[in-house]
Amino acid sequence: MPNGIIIIDKPQEWTSMDVCAKLRGILKEKRIGHAGTLDPMATGVLPVFVGRATRAVEFADKGEKEYVAGLKLGLVTNTQDTSGEILEQHPVQVTQEQLESVLSRFRGDILQIPPMFSAIKINGKKLYELARKGREVERPARPVTIHSLTVEEQLAPDEFVLRIRCSKGTYVRTLCHDIGTALGCGGCMSSLRRTMAAGFTLEHSVTLEQLMGAEDPAAALLPVDAYFSDRPDLRLNADLEKKVRNGMTVVLPGVTDGEYRVYGLESGEFLALCRAEKGKLITIKSFFQV
């Protein structure tokens, strides 16, 4: 059965779950999950975890992400992107210098009020379900971090391309909306392409068309330990490997504290992500074949 990670360049108008459903058919594997939902309007990097690799999804959704986004000024919509109902529209002319003058306030640690058209739950109800009924509720602001925010180019007097590297939970369309508010002319997101997620970039990605035309689609899978490549590796002899497989703590005096990729010395199999503490090796998540 296929096991591993595949980075899909998600096409526009597909949901992230649509991609997973398609891959279940292509790879003939039911255990498939994705990290970092992309809205149908968005394209780009969607890490998909297959088989035993689905155990790594919980780690992959936490890291930084990078996007290239279209910023449309002078246009305000109920979804904060150009797919929504227009609430306000007027012609504007903004220079790159004027835009740059407000961007500094959106870099670093900021607070965002989540959009009504989002899957966040308030009192057990998803916001987008309330929004579709014409209701708006108060949403508490949430802390996010904008690690970098740069202007890539100006396409028109009212349209720019931004590159954003941000933390989990950042709404790029809300960022575009808030930038428009700061400029005093309103704004929304006109396009979105994710260029990096979970440490993977577009260079790692394949399209659904490429997979469907491949003789062996499973050959595009990356091994699950590729996601943990920033951790050092440990190789355990047969006796210690058996302990890890049995869920036991392994005593390893002298091992530096921290997280490790753990392999069987003889089998070479990736066994688990483990944490070393005070000479003891504790399993965080196992990935070996049962």
Side-chain angles (χ1 to χ4, degrees):
M1 302 300 289
N3 295 287
I5 306 168
I6 190 163
I7 313 304
I8 298 296
D9 185 349
K10 189 190 84 66
Q12 201 167 34
E13 304 307 328
W14 285 59
T15 68
S16 298
M17 292 307 296
D18 288 341
V19 171
C20 289
K22 188 68 174 179
L23 289 175
R24 289 187 184 98
I26 294 172
L27 297 172
K28 305 297 189 290
E29 170 59 60
K30 292 181 179 179
R31 294 172 299 166
I32 289 183
H34 66 82
T37 301
L38 282 175
D39 289 339
M41 180 182 184
T43 66
V45 174
L46 181 68
V48 179
F49 294 73
V50 181
R52 291 196 311 278
T54 52
R55 297 173 64 80
V57 169
E58 64 185 87
F59 304 98
D61 197 29
K62 298 174 182 177
E64 292 180 17
K65 298 174 176 66
E66 185 184 75
Y67 300 89
V68 173
L71 169 64
K72 177 72 171 178
L73 296 173
L75 183 66
V76 179
T77 74
N78 64 340
T79 59
Q80 299 182 343
D81 60 39
T82 51
S83 71
E85 176 188 338
I86 295 174
L87 304 177
E88 180 183 331
Q89 185 175 17
H90 46 83
V92 297
Q93 287 193 332
V94 175
T95 66
Q96 184 166 330
E97 290 73 22
Q98 288 172 317
L99 174 57
E100 291 278 7
S101 71
V102 304
L103 291 187
S104 60
R105 69 185 76 172
F106 296 100
R107 297 186 180 108
D109 297 329
I110 65 171
L111 292 174
Q112 274 194 336
I113 297 176
M116 277 301 300
F117 282 87
S118 66
I120 293 172
K121 288 185 177 181
I122 299 288
N123 297 325
K125 291 285 187 180
K126 291 181 179 178
L127 288 178
Y128 69 78
E129 294 175 346
L130 298 174
R132 286 171 181 168
K133 295 176 182 178
R135 295 177 57 192
E136 183 165 352
V137 297
E138 187 175 346
R139 291 95 66 199
R142 307 195 318 171
V144 298
T145 302
I146 308 299
H147 299 286
S148 66
L149 172 59
T150 57
V151 180
E152 294 292 288
E153 60 179 314
Q154 182 167 5
L155 302 177
D158 60 354
E159 193 159 3
F160 295 83
V161 177
L162 305 177
R163 185 177 295 272
I164 305 112
R165 184 175 287 248
C166 55
S167 65
K168 173 188 176 182
T170 302
Y171 284 93
V172 176
R173 51 199 164 102
T174 298
L175 181 64
C176 291
H177 171 88
D178 293 347
I179 290 171
T181 299
L183 285 166
C185 60
C188 67
M189 187 181 76
S190 58
S191 64
L192 185 65
R193 183 158 176 77
R194 187 157 67 191
T195 54
M196 189 274 288
F200 299 105
T201 68
L202 286 168
E203 293 180 356
H204 300 104
S205 71
V206 295
T207 65
L208 289 173
E209 288 78 8
Q210 288 172 324
L211 276 186
M212 288 185 285
E215 189 172 318
D216 179 15
L221 289 168
L222 301 168
V224 65
D225 54 333
Y227 175 68
F228 303 110
S229 61
D230 60 333
R231 280 84 157 177
D233 67 305
L234 277 177
R235 308 277 167 168
L236 303 182
N237 63 35
D239 289 339
L240 297 182
E241 176 179 346
K242 185 176 180 181
K243 287 187 176 182
V244 170
R245 289 181 181 274
N246 289 330
M248 300 169 65
T249 296
V250 174
V251 177
L252 282 177
V255 174
T256 303
D257 287 0
E259 292 185 359
Y260 291 86
R261 288 174 289 125
V262 176
Y263 300 81
L265 181 62
E266 297 175 12
S267 68
E269 183 180 357
F270 176 50
L271 302 175
L273 176 68
C274 295
R275 181 176 61 253
E277 290 182 359
K278 299 178 181 179
K280 294 182 179 180
L281 195 65
I282 303 162
T283 296
I284 298 172
K285 185 72 72 172
S286 61
F287 293 94
F288 54 80
Q289 177 71 50
V290 179

